[in-house]
């Protein structure tokens, strides 16, 4: 990520992949937003991959900007980002109110026969819609784990994924069951055991702060 002041705004150029790990960039992005007078301009031409987790991070940044009376505008983006904005209907949230043109994507590579591309696109749309529908429940379940066991956001996500895999339970179903415990329901014994095991192996904020950066990276 590269940051360049531009008048009362900050221009942020990103490259690589925007996925679950992109949430680690939010504290720095929040700082850039706070230092700006009007908001943040994003240059995402070099982002080769972007999923719902990456988009959610951008949406969180926009929410913070709106609360501060500022804006987050995507000035240019790659095909991967362009497609995700179109499929989720979130493009207009990152456009400049004073301008109507769309962010210019990079050239779209040859993706094969039209029929195959169309089928892939429909499958991707279905997956994204399911992800957007189940995200609130999953985020709530992750928050419950963070509050109950003093976990970092990344550790709580890891606990959910490991428990889902070890119990052969779909992630959103597991999240619904966890949310249900707040209302008095109980988890199946197998799920309780696997959840406890996953929590025992998860890192907590105080542990992460005590570990040198190199040790954390080696552990990953």
């Amino acid at each position: 990520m590269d940051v360049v002041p531009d008048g009362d705004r900050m221009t942020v150029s990103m490259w690589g992949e925007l996925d679950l790990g992109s949430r680690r960039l939010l504290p720095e992005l929040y700082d850039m937003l706070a230092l700006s007078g009007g908001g943040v301009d994003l240059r995402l031409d070099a982002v080769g991959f972007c999923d719902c987790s990456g988009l959610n991070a951008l949406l969180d940044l926009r929410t913070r900007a709106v609360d501060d009376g500022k804006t987050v505008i995507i000035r240019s983006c790659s095909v991967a980002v362009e497609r995700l904005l179109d499929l989720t209907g979130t493009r207009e949230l990152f456009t400049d109110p004073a301008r109507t043109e769309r962010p210019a994507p990079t050239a779209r590579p040859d993706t094969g026969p039209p029929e195959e591309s169309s089928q892939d696109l429909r499958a991707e749309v279905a997956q994204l819609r399911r992800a957007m529908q189940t995200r609130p429940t999953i985020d709530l379940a992750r928050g419950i784990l963070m509050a109950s066991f003093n976990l970092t956001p990344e550790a709580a996500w890891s606990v959910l994924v490991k428990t889902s895999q070890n119990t052969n339970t779909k992630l959103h179903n597991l999240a619904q069951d966890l949310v249900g415990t707040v209302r008095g329901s109980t988890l199946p014994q197998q799920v309780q055991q696997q959840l406890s095991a996953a929590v025992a192996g998860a890192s907590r904020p105080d542990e992460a702060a005590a570990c040198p950066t190199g040790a954390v990276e080696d552990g990953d």
Side-chain angles (χ1 to χ4, degrees):
M1 185 168 67
D2 184 46
V3 182
V4 178
D6 184 10
D8 68 339
R9 302 183 67 81
M10 292 286 187
T11 296
V12 178
S13 300
M14 294 184 178
W15 56 88
E17 299 182 351
L18 285 178
D19 50 21
L20 183 63
S22 62
R23 299 197 65 83
R24 299 178 181 178
L25 299 175
L26 279 177
E28 186 174 353
L29 288 171
Y30 289 157
D31 289 342
M32 295 303 101
L33 180 64
L35 291 172
S36 70
V40 172
D41 292 333
L42 298 175
R43 299 286 183 182
L44 308 178
D45 307 76
V47 174
F49 174 82
C50 184
D51 63 10
C52 286
S53 297
L55 176 60
N56 287 335
L58 298 181
L59 289 171
D60 287 345
L61 176 63
R62 179 186 179 276
T63 298
R64 176 70 66 91
V66 171
D67 291 341
D68 293 344
K70 302 176 182 180
T71 58
V72 174
I73 298 172
I74 296 179
R75 294 296 183 183
S76 58
C77 61
S78 65
V79 172
V81 178
E82 178 88 3
R83 173 179 292 185
L84 188 60
L85 292 175
D86 283 341
L87 294 178
T88 57
T90 54
R91 174 193 299 279
E92 62 185 21
L93 300 179
F94 297 98
T95 57
D96 187 347
R99 301 171 63 183
T100 57
E101 63 263 29
R102 297 165 52 164
T106 56
R108 184 183 298 272
D110 184 10
T111 56
E115 291 185 2
E116 181 178 349
S117 299
S118 178
Q119 292 176 354
D120 292 342
L121 184 58
R122 285 196 294 269
E124 186 175 356
V125 170
Q127 292 173 355
L128 287 170
R129 285 177 176 172
R130 286 195 297 270
M132 297 299 284
Q133 290 170 354
T134 58
R135 180 208 171 199
T137 302
I138 294 174
D139 283 349
L140 183 55
R142 186 166 58 168
I144 292 173
L145 291 175
M146 291 168 60
S148 300
F149 303 104
N150 190 30
L151 299 176
T152 64
E154 292 80 8
W157 173 257
S158 177
V159 167
L160 281 174
V161 172
K162 288 182 180 178
T163 305
S164 172
Q165 293 174 341
N166 293 338
T167 60
N168 195 27
T169 305
K170 290 186 177 180
L171 189 60
H172 67 272
N173 290 335
L174 174 62
Q176 288 176 345
D177 291 342
L178 279 172
V179 173
T181 61
V182 178
R183 306 185 184 95
S185 63
T186 58
L187 296 174
Q189 186 65 28
Q190 181 191 12
V191 175
Q192 291 184 30
Q193 293 174 350
Q194 293 297 334
L195 182 65
S196 298
V199 169
S203 62
R204 293 167 173 77
D206 51 352
E207 296 174 354
C211 291
T213 302
V216 173
E217 291 177 351
D218 290 343
D220 292 342

